[in-house]
Amino acid sequence: MDTAPTLADYEELADVEIDLSDTDLDRETIDAELERLFDA
Amino acid sequence: MERRTFVLSAGAIVGGGGLALGTGAFDSVEAERDVSITVADDADGYLSIRPHDGPNGAYATMDDGELAVELTDDNGAVAGDGVNANALTGVANLFTIQNQGTNEVELAVSPLTFLDVSGSIFPPSIDGVLGVLLVPQSGSWSVDPDRGVLSITDLAPGEETDFSLAAVAFPESAIDEVEIDDELLITAEA
């Protein structure tokens, strides 16, 4: 794939689900940062 | 008399040569050839693994010739002691892997997700979560869930790929409560 990995990809790899309910962070923010890093 | 002697001698030479070419036989050969192999550190090996040339390469260190990702107070090249709590930290251009061999290789890195969670199941409470994600930069990659690895295909001789890092830590009590102390497996197969 030539697109950035998403948080869901990492969760699939590690077979975990990261619960973000105790933080102000959301999946969209993390995915956007992953895309920025991928294109850096 | 002298001429006949010459003819016989020439025939003997030709006959002897034909015998040698026909069998290739010899009893033994002894020869010495040079073999030179050295061992290089991570930066200079056939698979070069080194901190990125940019400023964020300081978050990776070379420890006894081996690359280490070091976002702790042990890293003297960076003033801070770790990632922020209640925050998403991105470190672009952390380290570089370059194919310095002669064959195209498939590069695989595992794991890409590092996670430490502190808390209790009953009663349910979370004292700290630290998740660290390694991010390949550009290039073609694929996830292999069965092996738990990310593969980057077609890393030709001379080609390199960079890796970045994203970290999430929460809540505030995660400070000094959670940490990652693990190993990253990097493989390259022609």
Side-chain angles (χ1 to χ4, degrees), chain B residues 123-183:
Chain B
S125 68
I126 291 180
D127 298 327
V129 175
L130 174 59
V132 176
L133 314 174
L134 282 182
V135 186
Q137 290 180 234
S138 66
S140 180
W141 62 275
S142 62
V143 170
D144 185 344
D146 293 334
R147 295 166 57 204
V149 302
L150 176 142
S151 297
I152 297 170
T153 57
D154 302 337
L155 197 60
E159 281 189 339
E160 63 184 35
T161 186
D162 298 326
F163 282 81
S164 297
L165 175 152
V168 292
F170 58 89
E172 190 75 18
S173 57
I175 300 172
D176 295 330
E177 187 66 30
V178 286
E179 63 178 350
I180 303 294
D181 185 10
D182 209 331
E183 292 187 345

Side-chain angles (χ1 to χ4, degrees), chain B:
Chain B
M1 184 64 184
E2 288 181 2
R3 184 172 184 273
R4 287 186 65 188
T5 301
F6 173 76
V7 172
L8 287 172
S9 298
I13 293 170
V14 172
L19 182 64
L21 290 173
T23 64
F26 51 82
D27 290 329
S28 66
V29 172
E30 181 176 319
E32 293 183 353
R33 300 290 183 270
D34 291 337
V35 176
S36 300
I37 300 170
T38 59
V39 179
D41 62 22
D42 270 357
D44 298 320
Y46 294 132
L47 186 69
S48 174
I49 308 167
R50 61 181 186 271
H52 194 279
D53 294 337
N56 282 346
Y59 292 99
T61 62
M62 294 299 290
D63 185 14
D64 291 333
E66 295 184 0
L67 178 114
V69 175
E70 194 73 74
L71 279 73
T72 73
D73 58 1
D74 288 337
N75 187 342
V78 182
D81 292 342
V83 299
N84 293 69
N86 283 326
L88 168 63
T89 301
V91 181
N93 301 316
L94 177 60
F95 64 88
T96 301
I97 299 178
Q98 183 181 26
N99 180 1
Q100 297 192 131
T102 57
N103 293 320
E104 187 173 279
V105 297
E106 178 181 323
L107 180 69
V109 177
S110 173
L112 292 184
T113 306
F114 300 88
L115 188 64
D116 187 25
V117 178
S118 176
S120 63
I121 298 175
F122 186 82
S125 68
I126 291 180
D127 298 327
V129 175
L130 174 59
V132 176
L133 314 174
L134 282 182
V135 186
Q137 290 180 234
S138 66
S140 180
W141 62 275
S142 62
V143 170
D144 185 344
D146 293 334
R147 295 166 57 204
V149 302
L150 176 142
S151 297
I152 297 170
T153 57
D154 302 337
L155 197 60
E159 281 189 339
E160 63 184 35
T161 186
D162 298 326
F163 282 81
S164 297
L165 175 152
V168 292
F170 58 89
E172 190 75 18
S173 57
I175 300 172
D176 295 330
E177 187 66 30
V178 286
E179 63 178 350
I180 303 294
D181 185 10
D182 209 331
E183 292 187 345
L184 178 68
L185 177 63
I186 300 167
T187 60
E189 188 171 342

